[in-house]
Amino acid sequence: QVQLVESGGGLVQPGGSLRLSCATSGFIFGDYAIGWFRQAPGKEREGVLCISSSDGSTWSGDSVKGRFTISRDNANRTVYLQMNTLEPEDTAVYYCAARTHICGGRYWYTEQYAFDSWGQGTQVTVSS
């Protein structure tokens, strides 16, 4: 049974940092790319960052602009999203999702349909 479980969300002040974790089970972790997505109230879900399975290459969505980084720990089957200099506009539910091997290139975030396993999400609220 494929499972992805996000954790690490919470309330943080503007300018602060959070690290989200995506713990996985039920599939060959090394064969899958993992992406982070987010959905703010009233908005469409958008891609944040993705990391491929093979060479660990990373791909960004349009909204992050270098403030966030993604990494994977293959030994612990976990992917991390490090978020720095958080802004109120980063408030959203953050999801991790898996697709086989590759993120999908420059416009990976337009291929959400290719991510066939999703976690339940973790809430991130940026507010003073």
Side-chain angles (χ1 to χ4, degrees), residues 15 26 77 128:
R77 304 177 55 92
S128 56

Side-chain angles (χ1 to χ4, degrees), residues 12-18 83-87 126:
V12 62
Q13 292 188 341
S17 298
L18 278 177
M83 306 187 294
N84 298 326
T85 321
L86 284 160
E87 303 169 351
V126 185

Side-chain angles (χ1 to χ4, degrees), residues 29-46:
F29 184 71
D31 287 348
Y32 282 77
I34 305 293
W36 282 98
F37 298 82
R38 68 184 184 184
Q39 187 165 23
K43 294 187 177 181
E44 292 188 352
R45 188 169 59 194
E46 63 177 358

